[in-house]
Amino acid sequence: MNIVLTTLNAKYIHTNLAIRYLKAYAQPEFDVKLVEYTIKDPVINIVSDLIQKQPDVLGFSCYIWNIEETIKVIKMIKKINPEIKIIAGGPEVTYDVQDWMKEVAEFDFIVIGEGEQTFKQLLSALASGADFSEVPGIAYRTGESIQMNPQRNKLDLKELPSPYRFEEDLPHLSKRVTYLETSRGCPFSCQFCLSSIEVGVRYFDRENVKEDIRYLMANGAKTIKFVDRTFNISRSYAMEMFRFLIDEHLPGTVFQFEITADIMRPEVIEFLNQEAPAGLFRFEIGVQSTNDYTNELVMRKQNFDKLKRTVTMVKEGGKIDQHLDLIAGLPEEDYHSFKKTFNDVFAMRPEELQLGFLKMLRGTGLRLQADQHDYVYMDHSPYEILGNNVLDFNDIIKIKQVEDVLEKYWNDHRMDRTVEYLVTKVFPSPFDFFQEFGSYWETRGWSRIGHQLEDLFKRLFNFLQEKDVDNLEAIESLMKYDYLAGAKHKPRKPWWELSLDKQERSELYRGIIHKPDALGRQYSELNISEKDLYKHTLLEDITIDLEKFIEDGEVEYSPSYMLVYFDSKLEQPQFFTFKMQDVKPA
């Protein structure tokens, strides 16, 4: 029996852990072939590739991000060869199973919930021609009717074979994200999340997990993402794993965790700040909302003061990047309440702030109680909300405008100093800046076209010009600095029109050559030749005291010149400032 397991990942760099667990558990009785695609691959290409593998059994791992394309693939495959047995599994088809079986006639079976043992038992029945009606945790067809068998008891995770030891994965480990599972389940009951449905937390064998990590690192894995819903629910376990990863990591490896910040003890953070190498760990923290009533309605316990303490301590440590999540559209969180949530969280200046929109996932308590808050949402995946009793679709459109520019202008860190100045000195709040700019961005049609780095600077400057903000010259100088500070080479054409003409530039360069001390000792010690000065530096006028701004973030009016040296041996350019009189001949 030829068995193929597949899925459509969101991106090439992603890997699917579920199908690897199924393959590992099915061995040695069944030799399961794995193949992965992306949702961007043409459906006909996926179908052609799968049909050529001549499967007898074809299993699909289904999620909200791939279910629509997956169904297209399955329907086409069944038209080509109706004899292929189609097995669907995964979180998207585990709930509303009867509906799925009715809606997609091409599903022969759905494996419900935790699938390793169920999938293997179903394969055994199919291979031997035995009656599969006794297999726990499946839905299947008998004539025109649909049967659902109760799920089996949860597996002992300590007995599961490793899904990380397949030779065919080795060439891809350095290029893709490796997802690692050390526990299943979640102790919390957030009503918008599928993890709240499974009661309790079960752990894999710690020593086996460590051996898997050693194996993955030794074979080139660079990004290892823990998919545990709350990695730090057990303080002793988290500390043991942090200690192990600090002691045994290989250079270039990054570990990502989903943590619950308000339960993290200060001594744990102090340990990480002292012991962890910079860049080794990355934290993802779900804040979702700072509205206490909203959190109460979705059964989400959160102490925002303690969460803020954790995020602040981690940030001050300077070792770990943090990705914080917000969800717009939770119960009783109207536009103004969400604005407060956004500003509360942005105040912590996380390295990334992800603004998402509530999805009414099948099986969640919030979807089952949607009528209580007049939720309107998409009928198809990803089931995103279109409005509720306190947030209408026009509000959602406005928040999506915020999301668009937040991603480009904060999360990508192209102009941190400029944005910091704008959100603290120019606009009433961070949300006001992103909202006003986001609305302007959409009215110009920029959300429907691509952009280069220079475009981002030009578009922000256009917005600020039209808004006629105060201190525009100073802001322009900040933008010039941000642009050049992020460049590794001298730009051929900056985003602004250079203010100095050829004669002015030549005069200034001659002055620098004759009076290098005017730019400071650090510049003098570089001993830049005349040839390199012309070839590897950029000269521009600015209106602020750049040294003061770099040192303490204060913007002080002080017209001067900025010389930027791009040394190919250094990753960052060097900045020097001077005034005209400093380099004029005596």
Side-chain angles (χ1 to χ4, degrees), residues 514-539:
H514 288 105
K515 290 187 173 182
D517 290 345
L519 276 69
R521 191 180 71 181
Q522 187 179 354
Y523 176 80
S524 298
E525 290 174 350
L526 288 172
N527 291 317
I528 300 172
S529 68
E530 183 174 344
K531 178 183 176 183
D532 283 345
L533 182 66
Y534 280 93
K535 187 175 181 181
H536 296 298
T537 68
L538 185 144
L539 190 57

Side-chain angles (χ1 to χ4, degrees), residues 182-330:
T182 72
S183 66
R184 289 182 184 176
C186 181
F188 302 112
S189 304
C190 307
Q191 294 299 289
F192 52 82
C193 180
L194 281 176
S195 298
S196 66
I197 298 170
E198 182 179 337
V199 178
V201 180
R202 295 168 294 145
Y203 284 90
F204 288 78
D205 182 86
R206 296 187 187 190
E207 295 309 312
N208 289 345
V209 168
K210 291 175 184 176
E211 283 302 314
D212 280 335
I213 293 171
R214 292 185 183 108
Y215 174 85
L216 290 166
M217 290 192 298
N219 284 282
K222 296 300 181 188
T223 303
I224 298 177
K225 182 171 181 178
F226 289 74
V227 295
D228 306 61
R229 301 309 299 167
T230 304
F231 181 79
N232 61 315
I233 189 63
S234 165
R235 178 176 169 274
S236 62
Y237 174 71
M239 284 293 285
E240 180 182 337
M241 290 303 296
F242 286 144
R243 179 79 268 171
F244 163 73
L245 297 172
I246 290 168
D247 290 344
E248 297 202 25
H249 75 276
L250 296 182
T253 312
V254 177
F255 298 95
Q256 301 181 22
F257 311 89
E258 292 186 32
I259 69 159
T260 300
D262 59 342
I263 65 170
M264 189 168 248
R265 301 279 291 275
E267 56 265 32
V268 176
I269 306 167
E270 288 168 3
F271 162 76
L272 292 173
N273 286 344
Q274 291 170 9
E275 300 285 333
L280 180 64
F281 297 146
R282 187 173 188 268
F283 286 168
E284 295 184 17
I285 300 168
V287 183
Q288 320 313 8
S289 174
T290 63
N291 184 316
D292 290 336
Y293 182 49
T294 291
N295 284 327
E296 183 183 328
L297 287 170
V298 295
M299 299 174 65
R300 180 176 178 79
K301 295 178 180 178
Q302 180 170 271
N303 185 319
F304 185 64
D305 287 336
K306 288 185 177 178
L307 182 151
K308 190 160 54 174
R309 179 189 67 190
T310 293
V311 173
T312 302
M313 286 183 68
V314 171
K315 189 170 184 65
E316 288 172 350
K319 300 284 192 72
I320 300 169
D321 280 355
Q322 297 177 99
H323 169 119
L324 271 56
D325 287 324
L326 300 180
I327 298 179
L330 291 170

Side-chain angles (χ1 to χ4, degrees), residues 436-483:
E436 288 191 44
F437 185 30
S439 299
Y440 178 87
W441 183 279
E442 184 164 302
T443 60
R444 294 300 180 279
W446 294 336
S447 57
R448 295 183 291 278
I449 60 176
H451 52 265
Q452 302 294 326
L453 176 62
E454 289 74 18
D455 296 326
L456 294 175
F457 281 86
K458 287 178 186 175
R459 290 169 186 172
L460 176 59
F461 193 69
N462 288 345
F463 163 66
L464 297 172
Q465 271 184 316
E466 287 203 26
K467 190 170 172 58
D468 194 23
V469 301
D470 294 335
N471 294 331
L472 186 58
E473 281 191 348
I475 296 169
E476 185 179 19
S477 295
L478 288 182
M479 292 177 70
K480 289 177 181 178
Y481 174 68
D482 269 337
Y483 175 79

